[in-house]
Amino acid sequence: MYDGALGDLIEELGQLPGIGPKSAQRLAFHLLASEPVEVERLTSALERVKAQVRFCETCGNVTEAEQCGICRDPRRSEALICVVEEPKDVLAIERTGEFRGRYHVLGGAINPLEGIGPDDLRIRQLMVRLQAGETKELILATDPNTEGEATATYLAMLVKPMGFKVTRLASGLPVGGDLEYADEVTLGRAFSGRRDVD
């Protein structure tokens, strides 16, 4: 619909995950109406991220150093490794304040329909970490969807024979949710994951 620079900007913004054509158009017009200094700050932030941010050599989390702050923290337990799909999942778990172990970011989940297999994930690096001998429990915190379940099942089959305790995050009803709006899979998991009331 739009030619030239504006059309190119809308097209590029539309390539971002979660941004549809209308959102891309709104963002483009917002940038067009912004002061040049605001656009320069955005451009500078994008360039700095691409130049400075990398993945932690140990766990795969995002960092500006060779290792992320969690891997460098001596107070974190080496006995627990929580496996997640993406760096954003690390942040979600850290916000709870409940986990004091280490992480391993796979970089995605097994998804044969999109051509993503075990060799495309950081599973080999996880196995190297486990063979170092300090880990006692592997917590599988992949997403509770088809791909996440397939990934968790695959990892459990690999790791259990090695003698590690393998656990999966509980899933079920969200706090504040109503039973009538829960789907059958969620309700089924809530029943199977029930625990004693203290």
Side-chain angles (χ1 to χ4, degrees):
M1 183 179 286
Y2 296 98
D3 292 330
L6 183 59
D8 291 345
L9 178 60
I10 292 170
E11 187 176 328
E12 290 303 319
L13 290 171
Q15 301 299 314
L16 297 172
I19 305 292
K22 288 189 186 287
S23 295
Q25 187 174 322
R26 275 194 302 275
L27 287 169
F29 277 101
H30 172 79
L31 291 170
L32 187 62
S34 297
E35 293 294 322
V37 69
E38 294 174 5
V39 176
E40 287 172 18
R41 280 199 312 263
L42 176 61
T43 303
S44 174
L46 289 169
E47 289 172 347
R48 281 188 13 251
V49 162
K50 283 307 288 178
Q52 297 173 8
V53 177
R54 61 180 106 170
F55 295 103
C56 174
E57 63 182 22
T58 303
C59 74
N61 194 11
V62 290
T63 182
E64 290 187 21
E66 288 184 20
Q67 281 191 317
C68 69
I70 295 170
C71 287
R72 289 192 315 263
D73 187 347
R75 298 169 297 178
R76 305 295 292 233
S77 172
E78 295 277 357
L80 296 170
I81 292 181
C82 181
V83 178
V84 296
E85 292 178 22
E86 303 290 346
K88 62 183 171 51
D89 301 327
V90 172
L91 181 61
I93 294 171
E94 283 297 292
R95 280 197 307 259
T96 69
E98 296 290 324
F99 183 65
R100 298 300 305 158
R102 307 287 177 140
Y103 292 94
H104 189 83
V105 180
L106 294 172
I110 296 171
N111 187 344
L113 295 177
E114 292 190 16
I116 302 170
D119 291 339
D120 300 310
L121 305 176
R122 297 185 70 252
I123 294 174
R124 221 175 357 266
Q125 293 88 330
L126 174 63
M127 301 309 280
V128 169
R129 288 181 74 185
L130 293 176
Q131 289 167 354
E134 300 198 25
T135 305
K136 304 286 184 255
E137 180 180 352
L138 192 70
I139 302 166
L140 302 175
T142 54
D143 290 342
N145 56 26
T146 305
E147 295 81 13
E149 292 295 332
T151 305
T153 302
Y154 179 80
L155 288 173
M157 287 185 341
L158 276 182
V159 173
K160 275 188 175 182
M162 297 169 68
F164 293 101
K165 179 179 180 183
V166 180
T167 58
R168 179 92 168 105
L169 285 188
S171 59
L173 298 172
V175 173
D178 294 327
L179 285 178
E180 65 181 302
Y181 300 117
D183 62 89
E184 295 81 16
V185 175
T186 301
L187 266 177
R189 287 202 179 132
F191 268 101
S192 66
R194 68 189 183 276
R195 55 189 171 88
D196 292 334
V197 177
D198 297 331

